[in-house]
Amino acid sequence: IFPLAFGTMKSVAALSLLFSSAAAFAPASQSASSSSALAAAAKPIGDLPPVGFFGEAVWNKLTGDWGSDDTGTFLRAAELKHGRSAMLATTGFLFHEFGWTLNNISPHEYLSVSQGIKIADLAAMTPLEAMKNVPAEGLAQMFTAIALVELYELTHTNGKYTMEDGGVAPGLQPGGLTGDLGWNPLNFEVTEELQLKELQNGRAAMVAISAWVFHDAIPGSVPIPLPWK
């Protein structure tokens, strides 16, 4: 478990950048005077000054002329998912850069005994270098873990399995993907304020992890001093 978690911590930083898309900054509200079909829908969360409704014209095209309200639901779910991945990525990236790595606490010395890869060896590398040295079996484990989460979201609604009667999976139906996995172990009251905080933290994390990855991959590409350099 520890080696897998260590590899996952390193990989999410790179994977989240690869999977980032235009949905990362999906528009968050709509103009009351818009002529699109979305104009009649409830105002989405996330319309904040000074940016306000970022990309309103494109949003109205995607959810009105070219799509529907369900398209907007999917775009918001995609933004939430990318934001959550980015928040995990920034946490793993920071832990690695500040030396808070599993080689200090794990009872396992090796990430892969058969290939002679020690956890401490990866900890001594940059996050991107460590990712490149994770064996194929480790990458397969990460892929499987991510796939299980995706399958859960496709087949569950509000945390309940809804495929008993067969048919099309809920997540493949229009408006079926909302970003709500039904997982709330601390029983937080899900208010608009809490949703807004998650959305904004996710947006900030997507910008941060993108900058950090570029900073390590292309020296000089991000002219901002980082605390671990």
Side-chain angles (χ1 to χ4, degrees):
I1 295 175
F2 284 110
L4 172 59
F6 182 80
T8 302
M9 184 180 295
K10 302 303 185 329
S11 67
V12 174
L15 291 177
S16 64
L17 175 63
L18 295 176
F19 290 119
S20 293
S21 68
F25 283 72
S29 70
Q30 73 284 339
S31 169
S33 61
S34 172
S35 59
S36 74
L38 186 63
K43 181 180 179 181
I45 297 171
D47 182 359
L48 296 173
V51 177
F53 188 178
F54 183 79
E56 180 177 6
V58 176
W59 177 264
N60 289 339
K61 282 283 188 182
L62 291 173
T63 59
D65 298 342
W66 300 337
S68 65
D69 292 351
D70 291 331
T71 308
T73 300
F74 172 79
L75 291 175
R76 172 46 50 85
E79 181 180 21
L80 279 172
K81 184 178 296 185
H82 286 112
R84 290 164 180 168
S85 297
M87 286 187 280
L88 288 172
T90 54
T91 302
F93 205 99
L94 285 173
F95 269 56
H96 185 103
E97 291 290 6
F98 285 120
W100 305 331
T101 48
L102 288 179
N103 60 296
N104 296 317
I105 60 173
S106 175
H108 303 283
E109 181 181 4
Y110 284 87
L111 176 68
S112 174
V113 176
S114 62
Q115 298 189 32
I117 302 175
K118 294 183 178 181
I119 297 177
D121 294 337
L122 297 185
M125 304 175 185
T126 67
L128 295 185
E129 290 173 340
M131 176 63 190
K132 294 176 182 178
N133 283 276
V134 173
E137 294 83 357
L139 297 178
Q141 292 176 21
M142 299 173 204
F143 179 85
T144 300
I146 294 170
L148 289 175
V149 175
E150 294 294 325
L151 288 173
Y152 178 90
E153 185 179 10
L154 286 173
T155 58
H156 287 68
T157 302
N158 297 324
K160 297 181 179 180
Y161 182 73
T162 53
M163 288 290 294
E164 292 89 349
D165 300 329
V168 180
L172 298 179
Q173 298 176 15
L177 292 178
T178 63
D180 182 4
L181 298 177
W183 190 69
N184 187 9
L186 298 180
N187 294 318
F188 284 115
E189 181 184 358
V190 183
T191 62
E192 286 194 1
E193 179 182 5
L194 196 63
Q195 290 176 310
L196 178 61
K197 287 179 179 179
E198 180 184 26
L199 190 63
Q200 291 298 89
N201 285 325
R203 289 169 174 173
M206 285 187 281
V207 173
I209 195 60
S210 297
W212 296 350
V213 169
F214 276 113
H215 184 276
D216 276 11
I218 309 174
S221 61
V222 181
I224 300 175
L226 299 178
W228 52 80
K229 297 298 182 182

Short mmCIF file of all heavy atoms in Angstrom, two decimals, residues 61-125:
data_model
loop_
_atom_site.label_atom_id
_atom_site.label_comp_id
_atom_site.label_asym_id
_atom_site.label_seq_id
_atom_site.Cartn_x
_atom_site.Cartn_y
_atom_site.Cartn_z
N LYS A 61 -22.86 29.14 -26.27
CA LYS A 61 -22.85 28.32 -27.48
C LYS A 61 -22.91 26.84 -27.12
O LYS A 61 -23.68 26.07 -27.69
CB LYS A 61 -21.56 28.60 -28.28
CG LYS A 61 -21.58 29.88 -29.09
CD LYS A 61 -22.41 29.71 -30.35
CE LYS A 61 -22.27 30.93 -31.25
NZ LYS A 61 -23.11 30.79 -32.47
N LEU A 62 -22.06 26.44 -26.15
CA LEU A 62 -21.97 25.03 -25.78
C LEU A 62 -23.25 24.51 -25.13
O LEU A 62 -23.65 23.37 -25.33
CB LEU A 62 -20.80 24.81 -24.81
CG LEU A 62 -19.39 24.99 -25.38
CD1 LEU A 62 -18.35 24.93 -24.27
CD2 LEU A 62 -19.10 23.94 -26.43
N THR A 63 -23.91 25.36 -24.35
CA THR A 63 -25.08 24.91 -23.60
C THR A 63 -26.40 25.33 -24.22
O THR A 63 -27.46 24.95 -23.73
CB THR A 63 -25.03 25.46 -22.16
OG1 THR A 63 -24.99 26.89 -22.20
CG2 THR A 63 -23.79 24.94 -21.43
N GLY A 64 -26.32 26.12 -25.28
CA GLY A 64 -27.55 26.56 -25.93
C GLY A 64 -27.62 26.17 -27.39
O GLY A 64 -28.37 25.28 -27.77
N ASP A 65 -26.79 26.80 -28.21
CA ASP A 65 -26.82 26.55 -29.65
C ASP A 65 -26.35 25.14 -30.00
O ASP A 65 -26.89 24.50 -30.90
CB ASP A 65 -25.94 27.58 -30.38
CG ASP A 65 -26.45 28.99 -30.17
OD1 ASP A 65 -27.63 29.14 -29.79
OD2 ASP A 65 -25.67 29.93 -30.38
N TRP A 66 -25.32 24.65 -29.30
CA TRP A 66 -24.74 23.36 -29.64
C TRP A 66 -25.10 22.25 -28.65
O TRP A 66 -24.80 21.09 -28.89
CB TRP A 66 -23.21 23.47 -29.69
CG TRP A 66 -22.73 24.45 -30.71
CD1 TRP A 66 -23.40 24.89 -31.81
CD2 TRP A 66 -21.46 25.10 -30.73
NE1 TRP A 66 -22.65 25.79 -32.52
CE2 TRP A 66 -21.44 25.94 -31.87
CE3 TRP A 66 -20.34 25.08 -29.92
CZ2 TRP A 66 -20.35 26.74 -32.20
CZ3 TRP A 66 -19.26 25.88 -30.24
CH2 TRP A 66 -19.26 26.69 -31.37
N GLY A 67 -25.68 22.59 -27.53
CA GLY A 67 -25.98 21.59 -26.52
C GLY A 67 -27.22 21.94 -25.73
O GLY A 67 -28.20 22.45 -26.28
N SER A 68 -27.19 21.65 -24.45
CA SER A 68 -28.35 21.87 -23.59
C SER A 68 -27.88 22.13 -22.17
O SER A 68 -26.68 22.22 -21.90
CB SER A 68 -29.26 20.63 -23.62
OG SER A 68 -28.59 19.52 -23.04
N ASP A 69 -28.83 22.24 -21.25
CA ASP A 69 -28.47 22.41 -19.84
C ASP A 69 -27.63 21.23 -19.35
O ASP A 69 -26.76 21.39 -18.50
CB ASP A 69 -29.74 22.51 -18.99
CG ASP A 69 -30.51 23.80 -19.26
OD1 ASP A 69 -29.97 24.66 -19.97
OD2 ASP A 69 -31.65 23.92 -18.76
N ASP A 70 -27.89 20.04 -19.90
CA ASP A 70 -27.13 18.86 -19.50
C ASP A 70 -25.66 18.99 -19.90
O ASP A 70 -24.78 18.45 -19.23
CB ASP A 70 -27.72 17.60 -20.14
CG ASP A 70 -29.08 17.26 -19.57
OD1 ASP A 70 -29.33 17.59 -18.39
OD2 ASP A 70 -29.91 16.67 -20.30
N THR A 71 -25.41 19.70 -20.99
CA THR A 71 -24.02 19.96 -21.39
C THR A 71 -23.32 20.79 -20.32
O THR A 71 -22.17 20.53 -19.96
CB THR A 71 -23.97 20.69 -22.73
OG1 THR A 71 -24.75 19.99 -23.70
CG2 THR A 71 -22.53 20.82 -23.23
N GLY A 72 -24.03 21.79 -19.80
CA GLY A 72 -23.47 22.61 -18.73
C GLY A 72 -23.21 21.80 -17.48
O GLY A 72 -22.19 22.00 -16.80
N THR A 73 -24.10 20.87 -17.17
CA THR A 73 -23.89 19.99 -16.01
C THR A 73 -22.63 19.15 -16.17
O THR A 73 -21.84 18.99 -15.24
CB THR A 73 -25.11 19.06 -15.83
OG1 THR A 73 -26.29 19.84 -15.63
CG2 THR A 73 -24.91 18.14 -14.63
N PHE A 74 -22.42 18.64 -17.39
CA PHE A 74 -21.23 17.84 -17.65
C PHE A 74 -19.96 18.69 -17.54
O PHE A 74 -18.96 18.26 -16.96
CB PHE A 74 -21.32 17.22 -19.04
CG PHE A 74 -20.05 16.53 -19.48
CD1 PHE A 74 -19.74 15.26 -19.01
CD2 PHE A 74 -19.14 17.16 -20.32
CE1 PHE A 74 -18.57 14.63 -19.39
CE2 PHE A 74 -17.97 16.54 -20.70
CZ PHE A 74 -17.68 15.27 -20.24
N LEU A 75 -19.99 19.90 -18.08
CA LEU A 75 -18.82 20.77 -18.03
C LEU A 75 -18.46 21.12 -16.59
O LEU A 75 -17.29 21.17 -16.22
CB LEU A 75 -19.06 22.04 -18.84
CG LEU A 75 -19.15 21.86 -20.37
CD1 LEU A 75 -19.52 23.17 -21.03
CD2 LEU A 75 -17.83 21.34 -20.93
N ARG A 76 -19.47 21.40 -15.78
CA ARG A 76 -19.19 21.70 -14.37
C ARG A 76 -18.62 20.48 -13.65
O ARG A 76 -17.71 20.59 -12.83
CB ARG A 76 -20.47 22.20 -13.70
CG ARG A 76 -20.39 22.38 -12.17
CD ARG A 76 -19.16 23.11 -11.67
NE ARG A 76 -18.89 24.34 -12.34
CZ ARG A 76 -19.46 25.51 -12.00
NH1 ARG A 76 -20.34 25.56 -11.04
NH2 ARG A 76 -19.14 26.60 -12.66
N ALA A 77 -19.16 19.28 -13.95
CA ALA A 77 -18.63 18.06 -13.35
C ALA A 77 -17.17 17.85 -13.75
O ALA A 77 -16.34 17.44 -12.93
CB ALA A 77 -19.48 16.86 -13.76
N ALA A 78 -16.86 18.14 -15.01
CA ALA A 78 -15.48 18.00 -15.48
C ALA A 78 -14.56 18.99 -14.76
O ALA A 78 -13.43 18.64 -14.39
CB ALA A 78 -15.42 18.24 -17.00
N GLU A 79 -15.05 20.21 -14.56
CA GLU A 79 -14.24 21.20 -13.84
C GLU A 79 -13.98 20.75 -12.41
O GLU A 79 -12.86 20.86 -11.91
CB GLU A 79 -14.94 22.55 -13.84
CG GLU A 79 -14.14 23.64 -13.13
CD GLU A 79 -14.83 24.99 -13.13
OE1 GLU A 79 -16.05 25.04 -13.31
OE2 GLU A 79 -14.14 25.99 -12.94
N LEU A 80 -15.01 20.24 -11.75
CA LEU A 80 -14.84 19.76 -10.38
C LEU A 80 -13.83 18.62 -10.32
O LEU A 80 -12.97 18.56 -9.43
CB LEU A 80 -16.18 19.29 -9.83
CG LEU A 80 -17.14 20.36 -9.31
CD1 LEU A 80 -18.50 19.75 -9.00
CD2 LEU A 80 -16.56 21.05 -8.08
N LYS A 81 -13.93 17.68 -11.27
CA LYS A 81 -13.04 16.53 -11.27
C LYS A 81 -11.59 16.95 -11.49
O LYS A 81 -10.67 16.47 -10.81
CB LYS A 81 -13.48 15.53 -12.33
CG LYS A 81 -12.68 14.24 -12.34
CD LYS A 81 -13.21 13.27 -13.38
CE LYS A 81 -14.62 12.83 -13.06
NZ LYS A 81 -15.10 11.79 -14.02
N HIS A 82 -11.37 17.84 -12.45
CA HIS A 82 -10.02 18.33 -12.69
C HIS A 82 -9.49 19.10 -11.48
O HIS A 82 -8.31 18.99 -11.11
CB HIS A 82 -9.99 19.22 -13.93
CG HIS A 82 -10.11 18.46 -15.21
ND1 HIS A 82 -11.22 18.55 -16.02
CD2 HIS A 82 -9.29 17.58 -15.81
CE1 HIS A 82 -11.07 17.78 -17.07
NE2 HIS A 82 -9.90 17.17 -16.98
N GLY A 83 -10.37 19.89 -10.85
CA GLY A 83 -9.95 20.64 -9.67
C GLY A 83 -9.57 19.73 -8.52
O GLY A 83 -8.57 19.96 -7.83
N ARG A 84 -10.35 18.68 -8.29
CA ARG A 84 -10.03 17.74 -7.22
C ARG A 84 -8.72 17.02 -7.49
O ARG A 84 -7.89 16.83 -6.58
CB ARG A 84 -11.17 16.73 -7.07
CG ARG A 84 -12.45 17.33 -6.50
CD ARG A 84 -13.64 16.42 -6.72
NE ARG A 84 -14.87 17.00 -6.17
CZ ARG A 84 -16.09 16.53 -6.42
NH1 ARG A 84 -16.23 15.48 -7.23
NH2 ARG A 84 -17.15 17.10 -5.88
N SER A 85 -8.50 16.60 -8.74
CA SER A 85 -7.23 15.95 -9.09
C SER A 85 -6.07 16.90 -8.87
O SER A 85 -5.00 16.50 -8.37
CB SER A 85 -7.27 15.49 -10.55
OG SER A 85 -8.27 14.53 -10.77
N ALA A 86 -6.26 18.16 -9.24
CA ALA A 86 -5.19 19.16 -9.08
C ALA A 86 -4.90 19.42 -7.61
O ALA A 86 -3.73 19.62 -7.23
CB ALA A 86 -5.58 20.46 -9.79
N MET A 87 -5.93 19.41 -6.76
CA MET A 87 -5.68 19.62 -5.33
C MET A 87 -4.88 18.46 -4.74
O MET A 87 -3.97 18.67 -3.92
CB MET A 87 -7.00 19.80 -4.59
CG MET A 87 -7.65 21.16 -4.82
SD MET A 87 -9.11 21.50 -3.79
CE MET A 87 -10.37 20.59 -4.70
N LEU A 88 -5.17 17.23 -5.16
CA LEU A 88 -4.36 16.08 -4.74
C LEU A 88 -2.94 16.21 -5.27
O LEU A 88 -1.96 15.89 -4.58
CB LEU A 88 -5.00 14.78 -5.25
CG LEU A 88 -6.29 14.34 -4.57
CD1 LEU A 88 -6.88 13.14 -5.31
CD2 LEU A 88 -6.04 13.98 -3.11
N ALA A 89 -2.83 16.68 -6.52
CA ALA A 89 -1.52 16.80 -7.14
C ALA A 89 -0.65 17.82 -6.42
O ALA A 89 0.54 17.58 -6.16
CB ALA A 89 -1.67 17.19 -8.61
N THR A 90 -1.21 18.98 -6.10
CA THR A 90 -0.42 20.01 -5.40
C THR A 90 0.02 19.51 -4.03
O THR A 90 1.13 19.78 -3.59
CB THR A 90 -1.23 21.31 -5.25
OG1 THR A 90 -2.49 21.03 -4.62
CG2 THR A 90 -1.48 21.97 -6.60
N THR A 91 -0.85 18.77 -3.35
CA THR A 91 -0.49 18.23 -2.04
C THR A 91 0.68 17.24 -2.17
O THR A 91 1.67 17.33 -1.43
CB THR A 91 -1.69 17.52 -1.40
OG1 THR A 91 -2.77 18.45 -1.27
CG2 THR A 91 -1.33 16.97 -0.03
N GLY A 92 0.58 16.32 -3.12
CA GLY A 92 1.66 15.37 -3.33
C GLY A 92 2.96 16.04 -3.75
O GLY A 92 4.05 15.67 -3.29
N PHE A 93 2.84 17.03 -4.63
CA PHE A 93 4.01 17.75 -5.12
C PHE A 93 4.73 18.45 -3.96
O PHE A 93 5.95 18.39 -3.83
CB PHE A 93 3.57 18.77 -6.18
CG PHE A 93 4.63 19.14 -7.17
CD1 PHE A 93 4.68 18.55 -8.43
CD2 PHE A 93 5.60 20.08 -6.86
CE1 PHE A 93 5.65 18.91 -9.35
CE2 PHE A 93 6.58 20.44 -7.77
CZ PHE A 93 6.60 19.85 -9.02
N LEU A 94 3.94 19.13 -3.10
CA LEU A 94 4.53 19.83 -1.97
C LEU A 94 5.18 18.88 -0.98
O LEU A 94 6.28 19.14 -0.48
CB LEU A 94 3.46 20.66 -1.25
CG LEU A 94 3.01 21.95 -1.96
CD1 LEU A 94 1.83 22.56 -1.23
CD2 LEU A 94 4.16 22.95 -2.05
N PHE A 95 4.51 17.77 -0.69
CA PHE A 95 5.09 16.79 0.22
C PHE A 95 6.43 16.30 -0.30
O PHE A 95 7.39 16.14 0.46
CB PHE A 95 4.12 15.60 0.38
CG PHE A 95 3.15 15.77 1.52
CD1 PHE A 95 2.33 16.89 1.59
CD2 PHE A 95 3.04 14.82 2.51
CE1 PHE A 95 1.43 17.06 2.63
CE2 PHE A 95 2.16 14.98 3.56
CZ PHE A 95 1.35 16.09 3.62
N HIS A 96 6.50 16.05 -1.61
CA HIS A 96 7.75 15.56 -2.20
C HIS A 96 8.84 16.63 -2.11
O HIS A 96 9.98 16.33 -1.69
CB HIS A 96 7.52 15.20 -3.66
CG HIS A 96 8.72 14.59 -4.32
ND1 HIS A 96 8.83 13.24 -4.57
CD2 HIS A 96 9.88 15.15 -4.78
CE1 HIS A 96 10.00 13.01 -5.15
NE2 HIS A 96 10.64 14.14 -5.29
N GLU A 97 8.53 17.84 -2.49
CA GLU A 97 9.54 18.89 -2.54
C GLU A 97 10.06 19.26 -1.15
O GLU A 97 11.23 19.62 -0.99
CB GLU A 97 8.97 20.14 -3.22
CG GLU A 97 8.70 19.97 -4.71
CD GLU A 97 9.98 19.87 -5.54
OE1 GLU A 97 11.08 19.82 -4.97
OE2 GLU A 97 9.87 19.83 -6.77
N PHE A 98 9.22 19.16 -0.13
CA PHE A 98 9.65 19.49 1.23
C PHE A 98 10.21 18.30 1.99
O PHE A 98 10.55 18.40 3.17
CB PHE A 98 8.49 20.11 2.01
CG PHE A 98 8.18 21.53 1.62
CD1 PHE A 98 6.93 21.86 1.12
CD2 PHE A 98 9.14 22.53 1.73
CE1 PHE A 98 6.63 23.17 0.75
CE2 PHE A 98 8.85 23.83 1.37
CZ PHE A 98 7.59 24.16 0.87
N GLY A 99 10.31 17.14 1.31
CA GLY A 99 10.93 15.98 1.93
C GLY A 99 10.03 15.18 2.84
O GLY A 99 10.51 14.31 3.59
N TRP A 100 8.72 15.42 2.78
CA TRP A 100 7.78 14.66 3.61
C TRP A 100 7.33 13.42 2.83
O TRP A 100 6.18 13.27 2.46
CB TRP A 100 6.58 15.52 3.99
CG TRP A 100 6.97 16.80 4.67
CD1 TRP A 100 8.06 17.02 5.44
CD2 TRP A 100 6.27 18.05 4.61
NE1 TRP A 100 8.09 18.33 5.88
CE2 TRP A 100 7.00 18.99 5.38
CE3 TRP A 100 5.10 18.48 3.98
CZ2 TRP A 100 6.60 20.31 5.54
CZ3 TRP A 100 4.70 19.79 4.14
CH2 TRP A 100 5.43 20.69 4.91
N THR A 101 8.28 12.54 2.58
CA THR A 101 8.04 11.39 1.71
C THR A 101 7.95 10.10 2.52
O THR A 101 8.39 10.02 3.67
CB THR A 101 9.15 11.28 0.66
OG1 THR A 101 10.43 11.40 1.31
CG2 THR A 101 9.03 12.41 -0.36
N LEU A 102 7.40 9.06 1.88
CA LEU A 102 7.10 7.82 2.59
C LEU A 102 8.33 7.04 3.00
O LEU A 102 8.24 6.15 3.83
CB LEU A 102 6.20 6.95 1.72
CG LEU A 102 4.75 7.44 1.58
CD1 LEU A 102 3.96 6.51 0.68
CD2 LEU A 102 4.08 7.54 2.94
N ASN A 103 9.48 7.34 2.41
CA ASN A 103 10.68 6.63 2.84
C ASN A 103 11.02 6.92 4.30
O ASN A 103 11.75 6.17 4.93
CB ASN A 103 11.86 6.99 1.94
CG ASN A 103 12.19 8.47 1.98
OD1 ASN A 103 11.37 9.29 1.55
ND2 ASN A 103 13.37 8.83 2.45
N ASN A 104 10.46 8.01 4.83
CA ASN A 104 10.72 8.38 6.22
C ASN A 104 9.83 7.63 7.21
O ASN A 104 10.13 7.59 8.41
CB ASN A 104 10.53 9.88 6.41
CG ASN A 104 11.52 10.70 5.61
OD1 ASN A 104 12.70 10.36 5.57
ND2 ASN A 104 11.06 11.75 4.98
N ILE A 105 8.72 7.07 6.72
CA ILE A 105 7.77 6.42 7.62
C ILE A 105 7.37 5.01 7.19
O ILE A 105 6.85 4.25 8.00
CB ILE A 105 6.48 7.27 7.78
CG1 ILE A 105 5.80 7.44 6.42
CG2 ILE A 105 6.79 8.61 8.41
CD1 ILE A 105 4.43 8.13 6.51
N SER A 106 7.61 4.66 5.95
CA SER A 106 7.15 3.37 5.44
C SER A 106 8.05 2.22 5.92
O SER A 106 9.28 2.36 5.96
CB SER A 106 7.14 3.38 3.91
OG SER A 106 6.81 2.09 3.40
N PRO A 107 7.45 1.09 6.28
CA PRO A 107 8.26 -0.09 6.64
C PRO A 107 8.90 -0.74 5.42
O PRO A 107 9.74 -1.62 5.55
CB PRO A 107 7.24 -1.03 7.29
CG PRO A 107 5.94 -0.65 6.65
CD PRO A 107 6.01 0.84 6.44
N HIS A 108 8.48 -0.31 4.23
CA HIS A 108 9.01 -0.87 2.99
C HIS A 108 10.20 -0.03 2.51
O HIS A 108 10.12 1.19 2.45
CB HIS A 108 7.95 -0.89 1.90
CG HIS A 108 6.72 -1.66 2.27
ND1 HIS A 108 6.66 -3.03 2.26
CD2 HIS A 108 5.50 -1.23 2.70
CE1 HIS A 108 5.47 -3.43 2.64
NE2 HIS A 108 4.74 -2.36 2.91
N GLU A 109 11.27 -0.69 2.16
CA GLU A 109 12.44 0.02 1.62
C GLU A 109 12.33 0.19 0.12
O GLU A 109 12.77 1.20 -0.42
CB GLU A 109 13.73 -0.74 1.97
CG GLU A 109 14.99 -0.06 1.46
CD GLU A 109 16.25 -0.84 1.79
OE1 GLU A 109 16.13 -1.96 2.35
OE2 GLU A 109 17.36 -0.35 1.47
N TYR A 110 11.74 -0.81 -0.54
CA TYR A 110 11.71 -0.81 -1.99
C TYR A 110 10.31 -0.51 -2.53
O TYR A 110 9.30 -1.01 -2.01
CB TYR A 110 12.15 -2.17 -2.53
CG TYR A 110 13.65 -2.39 -2.45
CD1 TYR A 110 14.22 -2.91 -1.29
CD2 TYR A 110 14.48 -2.08 -3.52
CE1 TYR A 110 15.59 -3.11 -1.21
CE2 TYR A 110 15.84 -2.28 -3.44
CZ TYR A 110 16.40 -2.79 -2.29
OH TYR A 110 17.76 -2.99 -2.21
N LEU A 111 10.25 0.27 -3.57
CA LEU A 111 9.02 0.42 -4.33
C LEU A 111 8.84 -0.80 -5.21
O LEU A 111 7.73 -1.30 -5.38
CB LEU A 111 9.08 1.69 -5.20
CG LEU A 111 7.89 1.92 -6.11
CD1 LEU A 111 6.64 2.23 -5.30
CD2 LEU A 111 8.16 3.04 -7.11
N SER A 112 9.95 -1.29 -5.78
CA SER A 112 9.94 -2.50 -6.59
C SER A 112 11.19 -3.30 -6.28
O SER A 112 12.30 -2.87 -6.64
CB SER A 112 9.89 -2.16 -8.09
OG SER A 112 10.01 -3.33 -8.87
N VAL A 113 11.02 -4.43 -5.60
CA VAL A 113 12.16 -5.27 -5.26
C VAL A 113 12.76 -5.90 -6.51
O VAL A 113 13.98 -5.96 -6.68
CB VAL A 113 11.74 -6.37 -4.26
CG1 VAL A 113 12.90 -7.31 -3.98
CG2 VAL A 113 11.24 -5.74 -2.97
N SER A 114 11.88 -6.35 -7.42
CA SER A 114 12.36 -7.02 -8.62
C SER A 114 13.19 -6.12 -9.52
O SER A 114 14.11 -6.58 -10.20
CB SER A 114 11.17 -7.59 -9.41
OG SER A 114 10.31 -6.53 -9.84
N GLN A 115 12.87 -4.83 -9.51
CA GLN A 115 13.62 -3.90 -10.35
C GLN A 115 14.61 -3.05 -9.56
O GLN A 115 15.26 -2.17 -10.12
CB GLN A 115 12.65 -2.99 -11.10
CG GLN A 115 11.73 -3.76 -12.04
CD GLN A 115 10.91 -2.86 -12.94
OE1 GLN A 115 11.37 -1.78 -13.32
NE2 GLN A 115 9.71 -3.29 -13.30
N GLY A 116 14.69 -3.31 -8.26
CA GLY A 116 15.69 -2.62 -7.44
C GLY A 116 15.44 -1.14 -7.26
O GLY A 116 16.40 -0.36 -7.13
N ILE A 117 14.18 -0.73 -7.24
CA ILE A 117 13.85 0.69 -7.10
C ILE A 117 13.45 0.96 -5.66
O ILE A 117 12.46 0.43 -5.16
CB ILE A 117 12.69 1.08 -8.04
CG1 ILE A 117 13.06 0.78 -9.49
CG2 ILE A 117 12.34 2.55 -7.86
CD1 ILE A 117 11.93 1.04 -10.48
N LYS A 118 14.26 1.77 -4.97
CA LYS A 118 13.99 2.12 -3.58
C LYS A 118 13.12 3.37 -3.51
O LYS A 118 13.22 4.27 -4.35
CB LYS A 118 15.29 2.35 -2.82
CG LYS A 118 16.16 1.12 -2.66
CD LYS A 118 17.40 1.44 -1.83
CE LYS A 118 18.24 0.20 -1.63
NZ LYS A 118 19.45 0.48 -0.80
N ILE A 119 12.30 3.42 -2.47
CA ILE A 119 11.46 4.61 -2.26
C ILE A 119 12.34 5.83 -2.03
O ILE A 119 12.05 6.93 -2.51
CB ILE A 119 10.51 4.40 -1.08
CG1 ILE A 119 9.54 3.25 -1.38
CG2 ILE A 119 9.73 5.66 -0.76
CD1 ILE A 119 8.61 2.91 -0.24
N ALA A 120 13.44 5.64 -1.30
CA ALA A 120 14.36 6.75 -1.02
C ALA A 120 14.98 7.29 -2.30
O ALA A 120 15.28 8.49 -2.40
CB ALA A 120 15.44 6.31 -0.05
N ASP A 121 15.20 6.41 -3.28
CA ASP A 121 15.77 6.86 -4.56
C ASP A 121 14.81 7.82 -5.26
O ASP A 121 15.23 8.84 -5.83
CB ASP A 121 16.06 5.66 -5.47
CG ASP A 121 17.15 4.77 -4.91
OD1 ASP A 121 17.97 5.27 -4.11
OD2 ASP A 121 17.18 3.58 -5.27
N LEU A 122 13.52 7.50 -5.23
CA LEU A 122 12.54 8.38 -5.86
C LEU A 122 12.40 9.68 -5.09
O LEU A 122 12.20 10.74 -5.68
CB LEU A 122 11.18 7.67 -5.94
CG LEU A 122 11.11 6.40 -6.79
CD1 LEU A 122 9.68 5.91 -6.86
CD2 LEU A 122 11.65 6.64 -8.19
N ALA A 123 12.52 9.59 -3.77
CA ALA A 123 12.39 10.79 -2.95
C ALA A 123 13.51 11.78 -3.23
O ALA A 123 13.35 12.99 -3.03
CB ALA A 123 12.39 10.41 -1.47
N ALA A 124 14.65 11.28 -3.68
CA ALA A 124 15.80 12.14 -3.97
C ALA A 124 15.68 12.83 -5.32
O ALA A 124 16.45 13.74 -5.63
CB ALA A 124 17.09 11.33 -3.91
N MET A 125 14.70 12.41 -6.13
CA MET A 125 14.50 12.99 -7.45
C MET A 125 13.47 14.11 -7.40
O MET A 125 12.82 14.32 -6.38
CB MET A 125 14.02 11.92 -8.44
CG MET A 125 14.91 10.71 -8.55
SD MET A 125 14.16 9.45 -9.63
CE MET A 125 15.34 8.11 -9.46
#
